[in-house]
Amino acid sequence: MSELFDGYPRGQAVYDEMVGPDGVRPALKSVAAEFDRLGLDEVRTRADYLSSVYIDQGVTFDIGGEERPFPLDIVPRVMQAAEFSHVEAGSRQRVRAMEAFLDDIYSEGRCFVDGVIPRHVVASSPHFHRVMAGLTTANGVRVHIAGIDLIRGDDGVYRVLEDNVRSPSGVSYVMTNRRAINSALPEVAGKHRIRPVEDYPSELLKALRAAAPSGITDPTVVVLTPGVYNSAYFEHALLARMMGVELVEGRDLVAHGGRVSLRTTRGLRPVHVIYRRIDDEFLDPAVFRADSVLGCAGLLNAARAGNVTIANAVGNGVADDKLVYSYLPDLMRFYLGEEPILAQVDTWRLEEPDAREEVLDRLDELVVKPVDGSGGKGIVIGPRATPEQLEKLRRLIIKDARGWIAQPVVQLSTVPTMIDGQLRPRHVDLRPFVVNGGSEGIYVLPGGLTRVALPEGELIVNSSQGGGSKDTWVLADSRPTRRREQDRQVARPSAVPLSDQIIDRVIRHQHEQQQQSRGGEASC
Amino acid sequence: MLSRIADSLFWIGRYLERAEDTARIVEVHLHQSLDDPTLDKTQAANDLLLLMGLPGSESPDVLLRLCYEESSPVSFLSALTHAREAARRARETVSTEVWESINTTWLAVRGGRLQRMRPASMFKFIRERCAVIAGLADNTMSHDEGWLFLTLGRSIERIDMTSRLLSTPSFAANSQRAWDHVLSGCGAHHAFVQRYGALASDRDAVEFLMLDRLFPRSLIYTLNTAVEALAQLGPSNLRIRPDDPAMRLLGAARATLEYLPPDEILRDLPEEMARLQAVCSQATSAISARYFEGSAAAEWVGGAW
């Protein structure tokens, strides 16, 4: 192989995205060759540069109130065009299914009548909000933005690990990663035709505007953030800036008479679409937690009156509940009449007695997760847990079977990652972002966020667990479209030459004359 | 624009100007104490601390209190930290270049990094970084409402700090040298000599720093900038007089400076300057009440709806 990939383990049990049993995978040979051309020392230098730009730009993630730069690895994860179009089609399909499901459970409940999913599974979800029943947005969309978490097992098959249809985060890092990698590795990036990610903010704004209450032709869209102390504040600010909309906190909003307004230096201004990054429970103290100061009282009332659209819709959490996840293939067949495009991870429903018995017997070999957890919280990986942890988990499961699911341990695929100046395999996952514009269509960001678990062998890649990220390249397969002939023939106006200071010209001229006359003397 | 963001921008302007001017003031103080062998160093340091609104002590450490101390409300380290915090809140409103510049400046000074610089290069660093940020703000942000609040904050802080700087020669024995230092502190030495020549008097220096209409750090120039920004923020179509309290306060201060007999200014300089500082504080309250306070209180306190 080469200097960079010498000593990189291959043919391991785990699937590596870049290096197969026979060396670098054929499709990635050219990327690896470009890295080799740079050489290990140069790649290390570029990696140092990457971390310094992120510190300067303040690309950070808050962990326990402390701002930390979000680690970005120098080696991108590369996906082939065909590979990504499979992911893209599968993500779209899931979003369509979840839209149909949410619409159904907050209205007729056909899925219960037809026995696709038990009613109590939905009714017992902490994220099911009856207050949302009968409410639809102007364009019928509830999942405006989704993040679908995918992993690749040792068979190389992409599987959905979980869905995020409340307020999925991470898309800002996809955009900043691309910019940083382009500046750190211009020659490598320039050799490949990488599908752009910069369309995301305009696609998002288009979808948010399309969701505006009916009759509003030029809606005011805002991003609602819990504030600077939120771990994803960087992302909220970036999205607002890139969309060119206001970033607001709850205290900037006033709801009155079924309408929502912004407090501005010139009085109140009406708001029509709120892209909120605050959880349901904190959104409206008049409906949910009365002690919340993050949201705005009366927001839900205004949404119910149809005067403001909240994106993503309140109550979406039912659809990304990990127990509901286990029913999703059936729900896809029921609502869409389609077979699922993307595979899922086998899941035991612990409230079914047989499944629970089996899982309790095999706790030490399974992964057990809380159904509504996010950020990797509460996950117990059986083979790594101590007997005490397993005993505690057993009691928790027996007490609240609805609250947990179990899955087999899936070995996440690996990608070469710069660790202490060497490339080492580290586990990754992938979160493609889906923006649903209703009749405007469903956009899937090419690639998505690749998160890396930096400690060796670590399987939890979450950023709140100290993970890093990689730029994700989706290679375009078609040839570049040639500029049309007539475009090239348009004559360019010739530019006016740059002017310089007259006095300068005069002096220069005199100098030249002087030198010439002196030169003349010398030759005499 | 959002009241909360306007508030942040105003304070970014103030804190950055405060950092720069504090650096200038401390630098003037250090030069003065080197220049004047008869000076009571402790007394001079305490005078300076008092001037910046801090209590004096038996062994006052000017560098610590006004430069390095993170918890000191008037050190330029804390001014830069506050500017960065305000910029972080208004991150989607300030341009990326301005944010990055504020952020890198803060990264360069925090965590004891200032103490490792030589004082002379530290002052230069702070002055230059603040100038870069101000230049980026002027050249990469639209001169809309947000920029006007930034400019307004910067101007009011500059009036306040320049007035403090103008009070320092009153403490010095050799006032001719002291005025030279104040002129340098305002970055005005060159401009002043060009205007008045090298034989100028104390009174010329005061006049220049107060009343020169073309020098950007003079009090009158800065007062004009502030009044102009206020006029653009809240256009008034009243025929009688402006109805904005902040504009009235600043306009009246400007008139006082312009029409006060020159000898009186020099005689009562510290009192005049203290009056000007009070005006800055009142004008800030008035601006805050008119533009920012909408966002201050959360209205929902729980209970029945």
Side-chain angles (χ1 to χ4, degrees):
Chain A
M1 282 209 281
S2 64
E3 186 196 7
L4 252 85
F5 297 95
D6 273 350
Y8 186 85
R10 50 174 142 162
Q12 35 169 357
V14 178
Y15 184 88
D16 190 275
E17 304 276 346
M18 198 156 183
V19 182
D22 310 318
V24 176
R25 294 185 190 276
L28 299 176
K29 280 234 159 72
S30 71
V31 175
E34 289 302 322
F35 269 88
D36 268 335
R37 208 191 305 273
L38 288 172
L40 184 57
D41 284 342
E42 185 61 24
V43 173
R44 285 178 189 151
T45 313
R46 308 281 177 100
D48 292 342
Y49 164 78
L50 266 190
S51 52
S52 76
V53 286
Y54 264 25
I55 292 172
D56 286 351
Q57 291 175 355
V59 179
T60 57
F61 195 90
D62 271 43
I63 303 175
E66 192 196 335
E67 257 186 275
R68 292 193 203 168
F70 193 53
L72 166 61
D73 184 63
I74 188 80
V75 186
R77 180 224 201 111
V78 186
M79 294 177 84
Q80 301 302 309
E83 201 180 333
F84 184 70
S85 60
H86 170 73
V87 166
E88 191 176 13
S91 306
R92 275 208 186 97
Q93 183 192 38
R94 278 185 95 79
V95 168
R96 283 191 290 130
M98 286 187 282
E99 286 282 11
F101 171 66
L102 285 167
D103 188 52
D104 187 28
I105 59 166
Y106 285 117
S107 56
E108 300 166 69
R110 287 188 296 130
C111 57
F112 309 135
V113 178
D114 285 35
V116 190
I117 183 170
R119 190 184 288 271
H120 76 89
V121 168
V122 168
S124 62
S125 166
H127 299 292
F128 177 69
H129 296 309
R130 279 185 181 77
V131 62
M132 297 313 293
L135 190 143
T136 46
T137 52
N139 66 345
V141 175
R142 289 167 185 271
V143 181
H144 303 84
I145 299 99
I148 313 285
D149 285 355
L150 298 171
I151 54 170
R152 222 171 173 191
D154 44 19
D155 51 2
V157 173
Y158 282 102
R159 285 190 170 78
V160 177
L161 187 64
E162 62 182 64
D163 304 290
N164 298 276
V165 294
R166 281 173 274 169
S167 49
S169 62
V171 74
S172 55
Y173 303 117
V174 175
M175 286 180 285
T176 53
N177 284 359
R178 177 62 49 83
R179 276 207 1 224
I181 287 286
N182 278 347
S183 62
L185 293 171
E187 50 290 77
V188 187
K191 282 269 165 57
H192 297 89
R193 303 198 52 247
I194 307 161
R195 288 183 60 191
V197 295
E198 288 77 14
D199 297 338
Y200 186 82
S202 60
E203 291 291 340
L204 177 59
L205 184 60
K206 205 159 62 174
L208 292 172
R209 286 176 65 95
S214 53
I216 306 292
T217 47
D218 186 17
T220 298
V221 177
V222 298
V223 176
L224 176 60
T225 174
V228 285
Y229 302 111
N230 187 270
S231 61
Y233 179 73
F234 166 77
E235 169 149 320
H236 308 161
L238 185 90
L239 288 176
R241 194 175 67 226
M242 296 190 85
M243 287 194 287
V245 305
E246 217 94 59
L247 177 68
V248 308
E249 296 179 12
R251 57 193 164 133
D252 298 323
L253 297 174
V254 200
H256 188 72
R259 290 173 196 281
V260 182
S261 306
L262 290 176
R263 295 176 210 264
T264 78
T265 51
R266 289 162 200 233
L268 297 178
R269 198 176 99 211
V271 175
H272 307 105
V273 182
I274 299 177
Y275 176 29
R276 52 80 174 240
R277 299 295 298 261
I278 294 183
D279 291 344
D280 288 357
E281 291 74 29
F282 297 94
L283 205 51
D284 185 343
V287 177
F288 300 111
R289 293 178 57 153
D291 60 342
S292 167
V293 292
L294 297 178
C296 163
L299 209 53
L300 245 60
N301 211 2
R304 288 194 60 92
N307 293 324
V308 69
T309 303
I310 298 175
N312 286 348
V314 172
N316 276 6
V318 190
D320 64 18
D321 182 297
K322 291 186 183 70
L323 182 56
V324 172
Y325 159 95
S326 68
Y327 292 93
L328 215 67
D330 293 334
L331 291 168
M332 285 189 200
R333 294 180 193 105
F334 176 68
Y335 290 117
L336 310 177
E338 296 171 12
E339 279 303 309
I341 296 172
L342 285 167
Q344 296 197 175
V345 180
D346 296 333
T347 304
W348 283 273
R349 297 167 188 154
L350 299 184
E351 49 177 13
E352 291 168 6
D354 293 349
R356 186 166 63 240
E357 284 312 309
E358 187 187 345
V359 168
L360 289 176
D361 279 349
R362 297 173 53 195
L363 272 187
D364 56 346
E365 44 186 289
L366 300 175
V367 180
V368 181
K369 301 176 183 177
V371 291
D372 62 346
S374 62
K377 281 183 217 119
I379 294 182
V380 180
I381 298 176
R384 309 238 172 117
T386 62
E388 294 77 40
Q389 283 170 321
L390 291 180
E391 196 43 48
K392 192 176 152 211
L393 178 66
R394 180 184 306 275
R395 285 198 303 274
L396 285 171
I397 291 174
I398 291 167
K399 205 171 127 202
D400 174 25
R402 167 66 178 88
W404 301 85
I405 54 147
Q407 292 174 335
V409 178
V410 181
Q411 285 295 330
L412 276 56
S413 62
T414 56
V415 177
T417 301
M418 186 65 83
I419 304 285
D420 299 330
Q422 295 294 333
L423 291 184
R424 309 303 306 159
R426 286 295 180 269
H427 294 293
V428 294
D429 75 348
L430 178 70
R431 175 179 286 184
F433 290 90
V434 188
V435 175
N436 187 358
S439 56
E440 304 269 328
I442 300 180
Y443 165 83
V444 183
L445 176 72
L449 180 64
T450 294
R451 294 180 297 183
V452 193
L454 294 176
E456 188 172 0
E458 176 63 59
L459 289 173
I460 298 177
V461 293
N462 208 282
S463 21
S464 31
Q465 309 278 326
S469 72
K470 281 176 171 291
D471 192 14
T472 313
W473 291 0
V474 175
L475 301 180
D477 58 354
S478 58
R479 303 215 51 80
T481 42
R482 278 275 175 87
R483 270 221 236 155
R484 281 186 311 193
E485 210 56 27
Q486 63 260 42
D487 284 349
R488 276 192 289 168
Q489 280 172 1
V490 174
R492 285 202 191 158
S494 59
V496 178
L498 294 168
S499 32
D500 45 39
Q501 206 181 358
I502 293 171
I503 189 167
D504 190 39
R505 214 158 52 214
V506 172
I507 292 174
R508 223 185 301 153
H509 181 65
Q510 286 173 351
H511 268 288
E512 278 162 9
Q513 281 186 329
Q514 225 172 37
Q515 267 162 7
Q516 271 170 9
S517 62
R518 239 184 253 147
E521 279 162 29
S523 71
C524 286
Chain B
M1 116 167 299
L2 284 183
S3 300
R4 180 175 53 81
I5 296 295
D7 195 4
S8 288
L9 286 167
F10 178 81
W11 282 100
I12 294 172
R14 286 204 69 156
Y15 283 127
L16 287 173
E17 184 67 27
R18 182 172 304 173
E20 175 178 349
D21 294 346
T22 308
R24 289 176 177 281
I25 289 175
V26 178
E27 200 176 11
V28 166
H29 165 80
L30 292 183
H31 282 300
Q32 270 171 2
S33 31
L34 285 180
D35 249 20
D36 187 349
T38 63
L39 191 74
D40 177 349
K41 298 260 155 67
T42 311
Q43 182 61 39
N46 274 329
D47 284 343
L48 178 62
L49 292 180
L50 192 68
L51 186 72
M52 301 299 284
L54 290 174
S57 69
E58 277 183 22
S59 52
D61 187 342
V62 168
L63 281 178
L64 178 71
R65 307 294 298 282
L66 298 181
C67 308
Y68 309 139
E69 205 166 67
E70 230 161 312
S71 56
S72 163
V74 298
S75 74
F76 52 72
L77 177 58
S78 93
L80 288 171
T81 306
H82 285 123
R84 195 250 179 190
E85 201 51 30
R88 211 176 152 224
R89 286 174 188 278
R91 199 169 167 161
E92 85 298 350
T93 313
V94 300
S95 71
T96 322
E97 290 174 59
V98 169
W99 155 252
E100 270 192 47
S101 195
I102 294 177
N103 193 42
T104 45
T105 307
W106 175 73
L107 288 167
V109 299
R110 77 198 173 115
R113 287 177 181 79
L114 273 182
Q115 286 90 320
R116 290 200 284 276
M117 295 183 201
R118 286 155 43 85
S121 29
M122 168 176 81
F123 295 131
K124 182 161 177 279
F125 177 80
I126 299 288
R127 272 191 276 117
E128 290 188 352
R129 289 306 303 179
C130 291
V132 166
I133 299 166
L136 285 172
D138 288 351
N139 293 301
T140 62
M141 285 171 67
S142 291
H143 288 201
D144 56 7
E145 220 185 337
W147 180 82
L148 286 170
F149 277 111
L150 193 77
T151 306
L152 186 59
R154 186 199 294 165
S155 307
I156 289 182
E157 187 72 23
R158 186 175 292 180
I159 296 165
D160 182 304
M161 296 298 266
T162 305
S163 74
R164 290 173 205 264
L165 196 56
L166 284 173
S167 307
T168 53
S170 322
F171 308 132
N174 181 349
S175 76
Q176 184 61 51
R177 293 291 293 140
W179 277 108
D180 277 352
H181 290 310
V182 171
L183 284 163
S184 313
C186 290
H189 200 267
H190 178 76
F192 174 72
V193 172
Q194 275 197 330
R195 167 79 178 73
Y196 286 83
L199 294 173
S201 68
D202 291 7
R203 219 181 83 184
D204 296 333
V206 182
E207 195 177 74
F208 182 77
L209 289 175
M210 281 192 182
L211 299 176
D212 193 276
R213 290 183 176 277
L214 301 181
F215 184 68
R217 303 189 74 88
S218 81
L219 286 176
I220 215 74
Y221 187 102
T222 317
L223 278 162
N224 278 331
T225 312
V227 170
E228 180 56 30
L230 278 171
Q232 284 191 52
L233 280 171
S236 158
N237 50 12
L238 290 178
R239 288 180 65 177
I240 310 290
R241 58 174 186 179
D243 58 342
D244 181 75
M247 206 197 279
R248 275 213 300 275
L249 284 159
L250 293 168
R254 177 176 63 178
T256 310
L257 277 189
E258 279 189 305
Y259 298 115
L260 208 64
D263 292 336
E264 271 181 43
I265 295 187
L266 203 53
R267 193 172 57 232
D268 294 336
L269 195 61
E271 289 81 32
E272 280 305 324
M273 295 299 103
R275 256 195 289 282
L276 203 49
Q277 287 151 33
V279 165
C280 289
S281 150
Q282 289 158 7
T284 302
S285 310
I287 291 164
S288 177
R290 172 161 180 187
Y291 294 107
F292 310 150
E293 243 143 51
S295 67
E299 281 180 356
W300 177 258
V301 286
W305 175 241

